[in-house]
Amino acid sequence: MGKKLIVYYSMDGNTRQIAERIQAETGIPLIRLDTVEPYTGTDEEIIAQGQDEVNRGFRPELKPLGFDPEEYDTFLVGTPTWWYTMASPVLSFLHLVDWKGKILVPFQTHAGWPGHCLEDMERACPGAEVRYPKKIQFSPQQFGKLVTPQSEVESWIAALKTW
């Protein structure tokens, strides 16, 4: 089914962990999104900035992607959940792609309530066919510790390998 690409943004590493697992299991190339202006400051300052960006629908400028989105048919797009939706850098990426005729496989990581992240991702991609959306929960107390059962994540990744 055409050319596929994993595209993700990760602040604390949880989304990266899932993206890298998908890549290791499927062999699909992997690209990390980076903003031109990095997020800096204390955790509280970064959280406040993220909340402000989400509230305003802000789309930060991304560093060059290193690929032409038009060359791909399928994007597996991963995001942490920021204030019940996708991280602002992911919103920026989704608006760079003409989604007509493309496939979107959205996945999110969260440490509590997943919000409306996957629905927002789908709405940001008019014309896309959405497949295999996935919410993956991590512990809010212990960085990198999955709450979603390992077997559930493994089954989801196995399904991604079938098409």
Side-chain angles (χ1 to χ4, degrees), residues 7 23 39 58 73 104 109 114-115 144 156-157:
V7 178
Q23 197 280 324
Y39 293 92
F58 180 72
D73 304 302
L104 169 68
T109 59
W156 175 67
I157 292 173

Side-chain angles (χ1 to χ4, degrees), residues 59-124:
R59 298 189 311 225
E61 183 180 356
L62 300 174
K63 288 184 179 179
L65 298 174
F67 68 93
D68 179 1
E70 294 306 311
E71 294 179 7
Y72 292 86
D73 304 302
T74 302
F75 292 93
L76 294 82
V77 181
T79 184
T81 305
W82 284 11
W83 300 100
Y84 314 114
T85 190
M86 73 194 94
S88 300
V90 173
L91 180 63
S92 294
F93 171 73
L94 295 179
H95 283 277
L96 294 175
V97 178
D98 177 1
W99 289 98
K100 289 188 177 104
K102 296 194 185 289
I103 296 170
L104 169 68
V105 179
F107 63 98
Q108 72 175 111
T109 59
H110 64 94
W113 191 62
H116 38 82
C117 182
L118 295 177
E119 296 83 357
D120 292 346
M121 291 174 77
E122 183 172 351
R123 272 192 296 279

Side-chain angles (χ1 to χ4, degrees), residues 3-17:
K3 286 179 73 175
K4 300 175 185 177
L5 187 65
I6 303 164
V7 178
Y8 76 97
Y9 179 77
S10 187
M11 187 63 121
D12 62 12
N14 289 339
T15 308
R16 182 191 70 215
Q17 177 183 331

